[in-house]
């Protein structure tokens, strides 16, 4: 297994975590510590009997000898049955596939259409949320690579200061060709309270370029925040 990462703090570490028949799956103590080589490439060796079923992800920690510090799971999850020696490249390590999904960078990495802006008055996580003023306005994220054959979960929060009947649309679309991967409309359940939404889906047989679009269906002054697309 190889992973490319240049964001781990000096002294940080990565582990292969998973479920391959061990007594304590999904813990660092039953995982495999990966070794950092040149150019920020981590490698680890996982030896399993032939025909073993396994399910693995990567855990990144800012602390080298324990699982303390800032622990983050990889967004890509890999499942297979071992029939021969093999390797899997997790690519650039990221815990959230959506660029600037929490709007901490304002509207960087999002394309704005109409009256949309970063708002630092109401937010689910500091310092910003996205404010979409009306149903003719929307934003679309920069494209990202959606991994193949993965169960993914798209989550986020929606808010309205005035109207609990307001609704917003969350669309995950393939960028390199026509097609919607996942789409759902979320109602604001309570006035002046953040409502969480979540949608789980399975990706196709090949990796695809994708983007997320946020827009208002009914109501005005709808806010979105803390958008995340990860492997649950």
């Amino acid at each position: 297994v190889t992973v490319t990462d240049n964001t781990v703090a000096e002294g940080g570490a990565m582990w292969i975590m998973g479920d391959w028949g061990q007594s304590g799956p999904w813990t660092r103590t039953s995982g495999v510590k990966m070794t950092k080589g040149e150019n920020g490439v981590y490698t680890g060796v996982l030896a399993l009997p032939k025909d073993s079923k396994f399910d693995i992800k990567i855990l990144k920690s800012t602390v080298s000898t324990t699982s303390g510090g800032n622990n983050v799971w990889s967004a890509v999850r890999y499942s297979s049955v071992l029939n021969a020696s093999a390797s899997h490249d997790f690519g650039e390590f990221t815990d959230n596939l959506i660029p600037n999904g929490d709007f901490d960078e304002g509207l960087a990495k999002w394309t704005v259409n109409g009256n949309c802006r970063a708002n630092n008055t109401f937010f689910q996580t500091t310092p910003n949320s996205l404010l979409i003023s009306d149903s003719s306005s929307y934003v679309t994220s920069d494209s990202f690579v959606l991994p193949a054959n993965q169960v993914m979960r798209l989550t986020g929060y929606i808010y309205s200061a005035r109207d609990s009947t307001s609704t917003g649309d969350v669309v995950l679309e393939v960028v390199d060709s026509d097609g919607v991967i996942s789409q759902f409309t979320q109602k604001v359940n309570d006035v002046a309270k953040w409502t969480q939404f979540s949608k789980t889906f399975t990706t196709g047989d090949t990796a695809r370029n994708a983007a997320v679009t946020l827009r208002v269906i009914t109501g005005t002054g709808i806010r979105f925040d803390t958008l995340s697309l990860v492997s649950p």
Side-chain angles (χ1 to χ4, degrees):
V1 176
T2 63
V3 128
T4 301
D5 181 74
N6 295 313
T7 63
V8 178
E10 188 66 30
M14 289 189 182
W15 287 267
I16 303 171
M17 308 290 198
D19 187 357
W20 49 82
Q22 73 274 43
S23 59
W26 303 107
T27 64
R28 183 184 61 81
T29 55
S30 60
V32 176
K33 186 173 183 178
M34 304 180 75
T35 302
K36 186 176 183 178
E38 296 180 359
N39 302 321
V41 176
Y42 285 75
T43 59
V45 177
L46 177 62
L48 299 173
K50 185 177 179 180
D51 297 325
S52 294
K53 294 182 179 180
F54 62 94
D55 189 357
I56 62 174
K57 291 180 72 175
I58 305 295
L59 179 71
K60 178 175 69 175
S61 174
T62 55
V63 180
S64 60
T65 57
T66 73
S67 59
N70 180 23
N71 297 308
V72 184
W73 288 96
S74 63
V76 178
R77 187 169 182 164
Y78 182 61
S79 299
S80 186
V81 176
L82 190 64
N83 292 313
S85 297
S87 65
H88 179 69
D89 190 348
F90 280 74
E92 186 72 18
F93 190 100
T94 178
D95 57 313
N96 181 9
L97 294 180
I98 301 175
N100 189 25
D102 51 16
F103 304 101
D104 281 359
E105 303 173 57
L107 289 178
K109 303 171 186 174
W110 292 84
T111 299
V112 176
N113 295 272
N115 192 359
C116 307
R117 62 186 175 88
N119 181 277
N120 60 6
T121 303
F122 300 98
F123 43 77
Q124 197 275 325
T125 55
T126 57
N128 299 313
S129 65
L130 166 72
L131 173 61
I132 303 180
S133 294
D134 52 62
S135 60
S136 64
S137 305
Y138 62 95
V139 298
T140 300
S141 72
D142 287 355
S143 65
F144 52 88
V145 177
L146 195 66
N149 300 312
Q150 303 290 320
V151 176
M152 305 296 296
R153 184 175 66 240
L154 177 62
T155 60
Y157 288 83
I158 190 171
Y159 176 102
S160 173
R162 297 183 294 272
D163 188 358
S164 63
T165 65
S166 298
T167 56
D169 207 22
V170 184
V171 185
L172 178 60
E173 298 178 294
V174 174
V175 174
D176 56 3
S177 63
D178 293 337
V180 174
I181 304 168
S182 180
Q183 180 176 359
F184 60 99
T185 298
Q186 176 63 45
K187 181 180 177 181
V188 178
N189 291 333
D190 296 298
V191 176
K193 291 183 179 180
W194 287 98
T195 298
Q196 186 178 28
F197 55 81
S198 178
K199 179 69 176 292
T200 301
F201 62 95
T202 302
T203 63
D205 294 335
T206 58
R208 308 292 294 274
N209 291 323
V212 171
T213 296
L214 303 173
R215 59 193 180 204
V216 172
I217 301 301
T218 62
T220 58
I222 306 301
R223 293 169 172 84
F224 290 92
D225 201 0
T226 322
L227 274 291
S228 177
L229 180 61
V230 299
S231 174

